């Protein structure tokens, strides 16, 4: 899952000559444990993905400067932010998932479009079609059809009172929800308080959240999300998985 160092010049020339440079960015969030899968995503984006824009790694605090050199040497910007909430007492995976909320900071407004991919996505073909998707002023994601709808993103039994409060604040918890393993959005949707509002939601409902960042982003883009077009990014169990741009494992 590594990009050979001798490929540096090739990577730079391939991306540097494209007109969409600085208009779009491919973003991956990773802690130290997931750096090798992150490298695989970036290499796949460069090779099979024909990615024409910038690339950025949002690094969890346990990623050292030495670790980061692999990415910076290949023209991948390493971005560092404070964790949304204190990590003490959190499972490592959960803390890293919450770190994904940093993708919604205004720091990303230097690009026009963000394409976010989880580390466990295998890229099979060109990512370029993702640059022309109409985001309709929201976020383009993979919707999931579960009988419980948005309720499935929470654990009511963990705090019935808190879940009742959520039910009073959200119009309809039975609507479809979405997966946050792949996200496409235009940064025009990022307001000065978008990230701060997400953090407030995280703190308010942390005891009943399931799936890390996912319920928070679902609430933030409530009724403002668009389904990814067919055969773009999907789950590897799909019957026609080999025809997708990328597969989520």
């Amino acid at each position: 899952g590594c990009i050979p160092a001798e490929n540096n010049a090739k990577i730079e020339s391939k991306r540097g000559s494209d007109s969409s440079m600085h208009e779009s960015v491919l973003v991956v969030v990773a802690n130290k444990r997931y750096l090798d899968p992150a490298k695989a995503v970036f290499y796949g984006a460069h090779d099979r993905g024909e990615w024409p824009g910038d690339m950025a790694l949002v690094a969890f605090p346990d990623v050292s400067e030495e670790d980061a050199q692999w990415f910076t040497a290949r023209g991948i910007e390493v971005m560092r932010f404070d964790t949304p909430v204190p990590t003490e007492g959190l499972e490592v995976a959960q803390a890293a998932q919450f770190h994904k909320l940093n993708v919604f900071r205004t720091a990303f407004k230097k690009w026009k479009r963000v394409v976010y991919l989880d580390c466990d996505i295998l890229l099979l073909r060109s990512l370029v079609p993702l640059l022309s998707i109409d985001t309709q002023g929201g976020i383009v994601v993979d919707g999931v059809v579960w009988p419980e709808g948005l309720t499935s993103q929470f654990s009511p039994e963990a705090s019935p009172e808190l879940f009742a409060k959520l039910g009073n604040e959200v119009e309809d918890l039975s609507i479809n929800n979405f997966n946050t393993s792949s996200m496409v959005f235009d940064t025009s949707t990022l307001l000065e308080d978008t990230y701060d509002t997400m953090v407030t939601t995280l703190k308010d409902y942390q005891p009943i959240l399931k799936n890390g960042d996912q319920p928070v982003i679902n609430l933030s883009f409530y009724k403002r999300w668009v389904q990814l077009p067919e055969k773009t990014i999907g789950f590897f169990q799909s019957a026609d998985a080999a025809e997708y741009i990328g597969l989520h494992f």
Side-chain angles (χ1 to χ4, degrees), residues 170-207:
V170 178
E171 179 187 348
D172 182 7
L173 286 172
S174 69
I175 64 171
N176 285 343
N177 60 127
F178 58 83
N179 186 284
T180 59
S181 60
S182 57
M183 302 182 284
V184 180
F185 61 91
D186 292 326
T187 58
S188 56
T189 195
L190 299 180
L191 306 178
E192 288 298 324
D193 65 346
T194 297
Y195 171 76
D196 291 338
T197 301
M198 285 185 172
V199 173
T200 298
T201 300
L202 169 57
K203 291 177 178 177
D204 286 349
Y205 294 107
Q206 193 169 337

Side-chain angles (χ1 to χ4, degrees), residues 76-117:
I76 300 167
E77 182 172 350
V78 176
M79 306 179 75
R80 295 184 180 275
F81 304 104
D82 293 336
T83 57
V85 291
T87 58
E88 294 78 13
L90 294 179
E91 294 181 4
V92 174
Q94 189 179 42
Q97 288 169 343
F98 288 158
H99 210 61
K100 194 190 296 186
L101 299 183
N102 283 301
V103 174
F104 297 95
R105 287 182 180 265
T106 54
F108 288 90
K109 289 180 78 72
K110 64 181 178 178
W111 295 285
K112 292 181 179 179
R113 172 160 292 193
V114 170
V115 174
Y116 168 85
L117 297 178

Side-chain angles (χ1 to χ4, degrees), residues 3-222:
I3 303 176
E6 59 268 22
N7 278 10
N8 287 3
K10 188 173 76 169
I11 293 172
E12 289 303 320
S13 62
K14 185 174 180 179
R15 289 163 48 220
S17 61
D18 194 279
S19 60
S20 60
M21 181 86 164
H22 303 306
E23 291 189 359
S24 57
V25 61
L26 174 68
V27 182
V28 174
V29 177
N31 60 10
K32 191 179 186 76
R33 179 182 176 185
Y34 280 89
L35 287 181
D36 280 344
K39 293 173 184 177
V41 172
F42 286 126
Y43 182 75
H46 160 69
D47 185 24
R48 295 177 298 278
E50 302 174 336
W51 181 251
D54 291 341
M55 298 182 182
L57 171 74
V58 175
F60 196 67
D62 65 351
V63 175
S64 69
E65 288 303 318
E66 184 177 357
D67 293 330
Q69 286 177 6
W70 186 97
F71 299 90
T72 55
R74 289 158 176 80
I76 300 167
E77 182 172 350
V78 176
M79 306 179 75
R80 295 184 180 275
F81 304 104
D82 293 336
T83 57
V85 291
T87 58
E88 294 78 13
L90 294 179
E91 294 181 4
V92 174
Q94 189 179 42
Q97 288 169 343
F98 288 158
H99 210 61
K100 194 190 296 186
L101 299 183
N102 283 301
V103 174
F104 297 95
R105 287 182 180 265
T106 54
F108 288 90
K109 289 180 78 72
K110 64 181 178 178
W111 295 285
K112 292 181 179 179
R113 172 160 292 193
V114 170
V115 174
Y116 168 85
L117 297 178
D118 267 359
C119 290
D120 56 353
I121 289 179
L122 173 66
L123 295 174
L124 304 177
R125 48 182 53 83
S126 178
L127 286 162
V128 172
L130 299 183
L131 298 177
S132 57
I133 292 175
D134 182 2
T135 64
Q136 299 178 34
I139 189 169
V140 183
V141 286
D142 189 17
V144 288
V145 181
W146 289 326
E148 307 89 351
L150 185 53
T151 301
S152 61
Q153 297 283 358
F154 301 90
S155 300
E157 68 282 357
S159 175
E161 283 187 16
L162 202 53
F163 186 73
K165 176 189 174 189
L166 177 68
N168 289 331
E169 293 188 357
V170 178
E171 179 187 348
D172 182 7
L173 286 172
S174 69
I175 64 171
N176 285 343
N177 60 127
F178 58 83
N179 186 284
T180 59
S181 60
S182 57
M183 302 182 284
V184 180
F185 61 91
D186 292 326
T187 58
S188 56
T189 195
L190 299 180
L191 306 178
E192 288 298 324
D193 65 346
T194 297
Y195 171 76
D196 291 338
T197 301
M198 285 185 172
V199 173
T200 298
T201 300
L202 169 57
K203 291 177 178 177
D204 286 349
Y205 294 107
Q206 193 169 337
I208 61 171
L209 300 180
K210 290 190 340 191
N211 306 316
D213 60 279
Q214 204 158 271
V216 176
I217 299 175
N218 266 269
L219 290 176
S220 297
F221 286 92
Y222 181 81

